[in-house]
Amino acid sequence: QVQLVESGGDLVQPGGSLRLSCAASGNIFSINAMGWYRQAPGKQRELVAVINSGGATNYADSVKGRFTISRADAKNTVYLQMNSLKSEDTAVYYCNARGVWTSTRLGFDSWGQGTQVTVSS
């Protein structure tokens, strides 16, 4: 019922930049928070950055000062600006949205399909 579509993943050299975007659509009454997670081969999925409806943000220590999460005015789109990329940032990046369904007023926790970010020289 809730669909998240990510884009922006690419191959980039160390020190380069990328901007990821995620658009949410479907049976959405409200979105309370959106965020980005990543998963590297052989590792568990980890939180990268989240932003709630009030604009408060939270970042993983490994990306603080380099990544910035932001929202569009409609609050159904979230961006992740990634600067000074390192090899350790290589992973599949997944968009996440938490909110309330229109039909049931129950909460949802939805994930996108993922977009590959590869940092390599």
Side-chain angles (χ1 to χ4, degrees), residues 25-117:
S25 62
N27 191 25
I28 300 170
F29 177 75
S30 65
I31 293 178
N32 302 123
M34 298 186 73
W36 292 94
Y37 292 69
R38 66 186 181 187
Q39 186 168 22
K43 298 182 179 180
Q44 292 188 324
R45 188 173 299 184
E46 64 177 352
L47 185 147
V48 177
V50 294
I51 185 167
N52 67 17
S53 59
T57 58
N58 188 36
Y59 296 91
D61 288 341
S62 60
V63 307
K64 287 181 178 178
R66 300 188 297 120
F67 292 8
T68 303
I69 189 169
S70 61
R71 291 177 287 107
D73 291 342
K75 295 188 176 182
N76 64 346
T77 302
V78 66
Y79 303 95
L80 184 68
Q81 179 66 46
M82 304 185 294
N83 298 325
S84 301
L85 284 163
K86 306 174 181 179
S87 296
E88 65 180 354
D89 296 318
T90 296
V92 177
Y93 284 70
Y94 296 91
C95 181
N96 172 255
R98 286 161 283 165
V100 178
W101 287 329
T102 296
S103 59
T104 65
R105 299 298 194 271
L106 296 176
F108 66 81
D109 186 355
S110 297
W111 296 88
Q113 80 285 357
T115 184
Q116 177 71 50
V117 172

Side-chain angles (χ1 to χ4, degrees), residues 8-27:
D10 207 346
L11 172 65
V12 64
Q13 294 184 348
S17 298
L18 286 173
R19 186 176 69 178
L20 307 182
S21 63
C22 173
S25 62
N27 191 25

